[in-house]
Amino acid sequence: MMPMRKEIILRIQSRLLLLLVAVAVSTSICACQPDTPPPAAPPKVHADLKAHSDEFKQEVITVCDGVHVAVGYGLANATLLEGEDGVVIVDAMESAEAAIPVKAAFDRISDKPVRAIIYTHFHSDHTGGGRIMAGGDQPAVYSHVDTPVHMSRIANITRETTYRRAMRQFGTLLPPGGLINAGIGPHLAFDETKTLAILPPDQTYSGERFELDIAGLKLVLIHAPGETPDQTVIWIPDKKVLLSADNYYKSFPNLYAIRGTAYRDVRKWVHSLDVMRALGAEYMVPHHSRPVVGAAEIHETLTNYRDAIQFVHDQTIRLMNQGLTAQQIAERVKLPDHLARQPYLQPYYGTVEWSVRAIFDGYLGWFGGNATDLFPLPRRERAVRFAALAGGADKLLEQAKAAMAAGDHQWALELADQLLLLDADRPAAREIRANALTALGETQIAATARNYYLTQALETQGALSIGNLKATDIDMIHSIPLSAIFEGMAVRLDPAKSADVDALAGFRFPDTGESYSIHVRRGVAEVQPVFPENPDIVVTVDADIWREVAAGVRNPAVALVKDMDKEGGTLNVVRFLNLFKED
């Protein structure tokens, strides 16, 4: 919500660094035993957020003849389209475990073979169960041409921070009673016990529209950038059915996701909604939340939805042009009453304030226009001066305690952050921070905000630690492009270790005919998909062995000795790869 082979790529890149040590080290999501016991009672919950859970009652809804959508089985929906001699499945849930009951339910509706699977976009909650959905069949798998591109780019560059933040946003690791819902679904059905079963696309389209005739079904795939640049909505003209993907769901949209996303071009999102509105659908099937039925209802819903997005965009720009900062604009922009009261524009998932900040940043970048922010004081130095103004750290702590006692939880949280910059292990400050986070989470109508607050409260208490995922599916590991592994290495080069290094490594993969070079040049790793001239070291290995070592399913020490041919000396190979290892 936390890019088709996203999680596997994340795990493989993490494991690649294990080549640098003599033994394999397993990492996983870890819900550690708390140093400080969590509160006995579950956190309180906003009444509207609790009621919103009704939207995700688990069932397969027959929208019209031959169109069925599975709601409430995981974060996203999957849709079954019945054809004359087969079926088409649109989106595939987030894991094998989430997909299994959906596939079983679909099989009870039709025993016809799966002719095609269509991915509406790259997010893993729509792709993680593809092989389960395929069953014993061999369907064609369709997506926009940019779907795998976006997944690989995001996974390779920002994988660690995005993954941690996604676990917080979706509340995946919250204990019982903590998670109410995920805003657009009941929960994200993926954790360290779940299995990815992605079936990569073998058919991609480009351009604005792609007409597909399969299993007797006439489908129009429409490129409709919105929540993602590769978003595909599907129009079934014979049935007047619109599958709206993630361009509409029952919440104010996530124009920005707090797990971390690139700028979502909201003007393109508005245009896509206009394209969708013009179709005249009589049935609209979102891939989060429940269907909308009736041409007039759909037209009004999409009109209000696009107006809400445009309003936030236009008012942000208007105030930007008046010289206001992002925070000042966020404090001023509010939806008009006729939009704010719509049930599908409540901030269960996205919020107006976060959207304003994202739009500001998308146009002008991080600098708000105040010269004070050009070269701010280092955070710890600012905390030192903050404490001095209060009369010392003890006085600052007293103020934080007073703020908590007065129910001024945001101020207490900000004061606790200053205290922890001075002393990260100060128990009283950690307790205040955890309690303030919990209190703020309890008041949120936005599931994403609630989940993030409560998860960070547990992390602050030491009750929770978010690590990496294990890669275990050999078929998926073998499907990862070698380019993804090498791209991941470049952004993990240790600048201190490599400050005085100028070394060139060549990698040959005889089974695939591919070659790569990595030139470490004083803090920069240049990767090229060619074998270099006059390399300092050379590694020759089969691609699948390299992938397995990277994924942690093959012992790196054994592989280095047994499965790889090395030129330039084993010790030099280890030293080179050690440049990419974080100590």
Side-chain angles (χ1 to χ4, degrees):
M1 129 232 335
M2 297 203 97
M4 188 127 355
R5 292 167 297 197
K6 174 179 179 181
E7 289 84 356
I8 292 290
I9 292 175
L10 302 185
R11 291 178 268 169
I12 282 185
Q13 292 171 345
S14 176
R15 292 296 183 170
L16 180 60
L17 302 181
L18 296 178
L19 273 168
L20 315 174
V21 296
V23 295
V25 178
S26 296
T27 57
S28 64
I29 297 174
C30 175
C32 303
Q33 292 299 317
D35 296 327
T36 303
K44 299 175 184 176
V45 58
H46 193 292
D48 290 345
L49 179 60
K50 184 176 182 180
H52 186 53
S53 294
D54 293 341
E55 185 71 18
F56 313 120
K57 176 186 175 184
Q58 188 179 106
E59 60 180 318
V60 177
I61 301 170
T62 298
V63 180
C64 64
D65 183 41
V67 178
H68 315 271
V69 58
V71 177
Y73 288 84
L75 189 66
N77 300 339
T79 301
L80 176 71
L81 307 177
E82 293 184 82
E84 294 174 359
D85 62 351
V87 300
V88 174
I89 296 176
V90 181
D91 286 347
M93 309 302 292
E94 58 261 52
S95 63
E97 289 79 4
I100 287 170
V102 175
K103 181 63 163 71
F106 286 171
D107 286 346
R108 289 192 290 271
I109 293 171
S110 174
D111 60 0
K112 296 176 183 177
V114 180
R115 298 297 188 193
I117 294 173
I118 303 173
Y119 296 140
T120 60
H121 59 294
F122 68 81
H123 285 168
S124 59
D125 54 318
H126 299 258
T127 60
R131 286 195 287 117
I132 300 300
M133 293 300 190
D137 303 316
Q138 295 183 328
V141 182
Y142 292 85
S143 78
H144 186 266
V145 67
D146 287 340
T147 293
V149 175
H150 284 290
M151 182 178 301
S152 178
R153 179 182 63 82
I154 293 176
N156 293 335
I157 303 302
T158 60
R159 63 177 180 83
E160 292 97 342
T161 186
T162 300
Y163 181 71
R164 286 193 300 270
R165 287 165 57 155
M167 291 297 97
R168 295 168 185 152
Q169 174 181 311
F170 294 117
T172 306
L173 305 180
L174 289 175
L179 178 66
I180 303 304
N181 60 63
I184 52 171
H187 56 269
L188 177 67
F190 189 78
D191 57 30
E192 78 277 13
T193 67
K194 304 298 189 297
T195 307
L196 279 173
I198 297 172
L199 191 62
D202 52 23
Q203 304 287 329
T204 61
Y205 79 95
S206 58
E208 294 183 0
R209 295 189 176 211
F210 176 70
E211 295 187 4
L212 178 63
D213 192 337
I214 192 164
L217 294 167
K218 295 184 183 300
L219 307 175
V220 182
L221 278 58
I222 303 173
H223 182 215
E227 187 174 274
T228 64
D230 65 323
Q231 200 83 195
T232 294
V233 300
I234 300 169
W235 173 236
I236 311 175
D238 294 344
K239 299 177 184 291
K240 298 290 185 182
V241 172
L242 170 64
L243 307 187
S244 61
D246 280 11
N247 280 353
Y248 168 81
Y249 37 70
K250 192 175 179 180
S251 169
F252 185 84
N254 231 3
L255 305 186
Y256 172 76
I258 58 175
R259 71 175 183 275
T261 58
Y263 178 59
R264 294 172 169 177
D265 191 326
V266 299
R267 294 179 67 192
K268 289 183 179 179
W269 199 332
V270 168
H271 174 71
S272 294
L273 287 165
D274 288 340
V275 171
M276 294 160 62
R277 187 172 52 147
L279 294 170
E282 296 179 3
Y283 306 92
M284 182 167 68
V285 183
H287 279 167
H288 297 281
S289 63
R290 304 172 85 77
V292 182
V293 178
E297 180 73 15
I298 293 168
H299 187 274
E300 179 183 0
T301 297
L302 291 179
T303 299
N304 286 334
Y305 214 70
R306 57 92 59 212
D307 284 357
I309 297 173
Q310 183 177 336
F311 178 88
V312 174
H313 171 271
D314 292 354
Q315 294 309 306
T316 299
I317 302 300
R318 182 178 71 87
L319 295 175
M320 279 168 48
N321 286 331
Q322 293 179 14
L324 274 65
T325 67
Q327 182 57 38
Q328 289 171 324
I329 300 171
E331 293 167 0
R332 295 192 184 192
V333 175
K334 311 293 180 187
L335 288 181
D337 288 345
H338 76 284
L339 296 175
R341 66 171 176 259
Q342 299 300 330
Y344 45 80
L345 286 171
Q346 301 309 301
Y348 299 121
Y349 194 54
T351 77
V352 171
E353 182 171 348
W354 299 341
S355 301
V356 166
R357 294 175 183 174
I359 293 166
F360 186 102
D361 186 75
Y363 277 91
L364 297 181
W366 63 266
F367 180 48
N370 182 354
T372 303
D373 299 327
L374 286 174
F375 297 100
L377 290 170
R379 293 176 67 242
R380 191 178 189 285
E381 183 176 344
R382 186 174 183 274
V384 169
R385 298 188 185 194
F386 211 90
L389 283 174
D394 290 341
K395 292 290 186 181
L396 194 61
L397 180 60
E398 290 178 10
Q399 290 295 317
K401 290 179 178 178
M404 276 300 300
D408 193 355
H409 300 127
Q410 180 61 34
W411 182 231
L413 180 60
E414 294 187 20
L415 292 176
D417 280 352
Q418 300 302 315
L419 286 162
L420 290 171
L421 284 170
L422 298 173
D423 181 1
D425 296 322
R426 189 161 187 161
R430 295 180 71 83
E431 181 181 3
I432 290 171
R433 186 173 195 273
N435 290 340
L437 286 166
T438 300
L440 288 166
E442 290 176 336
T443 66
Q444 300 301 312
I445 188 175
T448 46
R450 172 189 170 86
N451 294 338
Y452 212 103
Y453 277 125
L454 296 183
T455 301
Q456 280 212 322
L458 292 173
E459 290 178 275
T460 300
Q461 292 174 326
L464 183 66
S465 176
I466 302 173
N468 297 317
L469 290 166
K470 296 178 181 178
T472 57
D473 187 281
I474 293 296
D475 289 337
M476 283 307 307
I477 290 169
H478 289 174
S479 74
I480 299 302
L482 291 173
S483 60
I485 297 174
F486 284 97
E487 288 168 6
M489 290 182 69
V491 298
R492 286 159 185 83
L493 180 68
D494 188 310
K497 291 179 181 178
S498 60
D500 298 318
V501 175
D502 191 335
L504 181 61
F507 295 82
R508 288 195 182 103
F509 301 93
D511 58 324
T512 65
E514 295 175 87
S515 296
Y516 283 86
S517 68
I518 304 179
H519 188 179
V520 173
R521 193 169 50 246
R522 290 181 288 276
V524 173
E526 178 186 353
V527 175
Q528 296 291 346
V530 294
F531 192 80
E533 293 184 9
N534 302 316
D536 298 301
I537 62 171
V538 175
V539 175
T540 303
V541 60
D542 283 350
D544 283 346
I545 292 175
W546 182 254
R547 293 179 176 114
E548 290 172 16
V549 170
V553 299
R554 183 183 288 263
N555 186 293
V558 173
L560 193 62
V561 174
K562 181 180 177 183
D563 301 315
M564 302 182 191
D565 291 332
K566 302 166 289 297
E567 300 174 31
T570 299
L571 183 58
N572 288 332
V573 171
V574 172
R575 284 172 176 166
F576 183 85
L577 294 175
N578 187 57
L579 299 173
F580 302 89
K581 176 181 178 294
E582 293 184 10
D583 293 327

